[in-house]
DNA sequence: ACATTATTAAACCACATGGTTAAATAAAAG
DNA sequence: CTTTTATTTAACCATGTGGTTTAATAATGT
């Protein structure tokens, strides 16, 4: 039961090594060795990270003779940002206080919802 | 060695149950029981999810008599979106093709960068 | 005092994750 | 053909994650 793509994307982004790889790919396609170089870990470890990124669609891999150049595909990031954008109003300070005030009107701390009538 | 907050935030968002909880909290504070109700899992499971969300700052918990109302705090989402925004130009179609063309000029598939013999 | 309600803690389990080393594969170079 | 280079696979290991059930805690209601 593999999770949905949004979940896979967020999971992929949760690792600093993988984020570093994506950042590196912003300036163009790179081979596995090139991507591995800056990191203090084995090549198989990097290979696994790349597989994770590929599996959620954040990179694609071509074949150029004996190299497998990785290329950034940012589409899943759009999907993720779109999900988060729903919350923009919640993190913008101006509305935050009003927000909380309205929330308290709806759900006074003394008697949280549960059994209220419609 | 607990990971940085950005990593924790992405990890928190990688679970559909937790995203559903956050979505629910957009309309105001809710008690643990209220949040658990729509989900087919035990209360301790929900309690753990809330702990994850709290630990990365996506929710705060107050104390109102015997209830622990959870309240959304979207600030970490801003941090996450800010990171992703760097990639906006990569997912906007118009630039995508030009992007790839320029990347190929820089890193031709036949002989990737670093140890090319002249 | 006792039972009820809301929530958390503890102990446990299956499986995923992130790393390792050693070996396999594939293409290019000598 | 043999060696070298680039990368992946396999097997393994420690730790983390997401769930369970049972028990503890804490405040309220009777």
């Amino acid at each position: 039961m593999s999770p949905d793509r949004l979940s896979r994307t967020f999971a992929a982004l949760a690792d600093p090594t993988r984020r570093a790889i994506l950042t590196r790919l912003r300036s163009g396609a790179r081979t596995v060795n090139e991507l591995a170089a800056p990191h203090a870990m084995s090549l198989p470890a990097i290979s696994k990270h790349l597989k994770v990124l590929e599996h959620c669609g954040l990179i694609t891999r071509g074949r150029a003779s004996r190299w497998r150049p990785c290329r950034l595909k940012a589409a899943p990031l759009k999907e993720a940002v779109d999900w988060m954008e729903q919350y923009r109003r919640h993190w913008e300070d101006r509305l935050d206080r009003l927000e909380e005030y309205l929330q308290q009107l709806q759900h006074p701390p003394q008697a949280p919802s549960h059994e209220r009538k419609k």
Side-chain angles (χ1 to χ4, degrees), chain A:
Chain A
M1 316 172 203
S2 78
D4 59 295
R5 187 162 108 150
L6 186 54
S7 297
R8 288 200 308 267
T9 301
F10 280 131
L13 295 175
D15 187 285
T17 302
R18 286 194 291 261
R19 287 201 305 277
I21 288 172
L22 291 179
T23 298
R24 193 92 190 289
L25 289 175
R26 294 216 307 134
S27 58
R30 291 286 183 277
T31 70
V32 179
N33 265 310
E34 287 173 323
L35 291 173
H39 300 281
M41 69 182 68
S42 67
L43 261 140
I46 298 294
S47 195
K48 281 187 183 183
H49 283 305
L50 294 176
K51 195 183 289 182
V52 172
L53 292 171
E54 188 179 25
H55 191 234
C56 73
L58 278 167
I59 65 170
T60 56
R61 286 194 263 191
R63 2 200 115 78
S65 83
R66 67 179 142 170
W67 293 273
R68 304 287 165 79
C70 299
R71 190 178 303 279
L72 177 65
K73 291 288 173 193
L77 290 182
K78 172 168 168 44
E79 197 183 339
V81 165
D82 285 348
W83 186 87
M84 296 204 224
E85 282 294 342
Q86 299 180 300
Y87 294 80
R88 179 175 287 280
R89 56 194 298 270
H90 294 273
W91 72 67
E92 275 171 358
D93 281 0
R94 287 278 260 160
L95 286 165
D96 228 29
R97 292 194 171 273
L98 175 59
E99 197 72 22
E100 277 185 26
Y101 173 67
L102 293 174
Q103 282 175 11
Q104 279 183 345
L105 285 187
Q106 252 191 315
H107 292 271
Q110 292 77 13
S113 66
H114 219 74
E115 291 172 283
R116 82 213 126 142
K117 275 96 191 178
K118 257 195 102 177

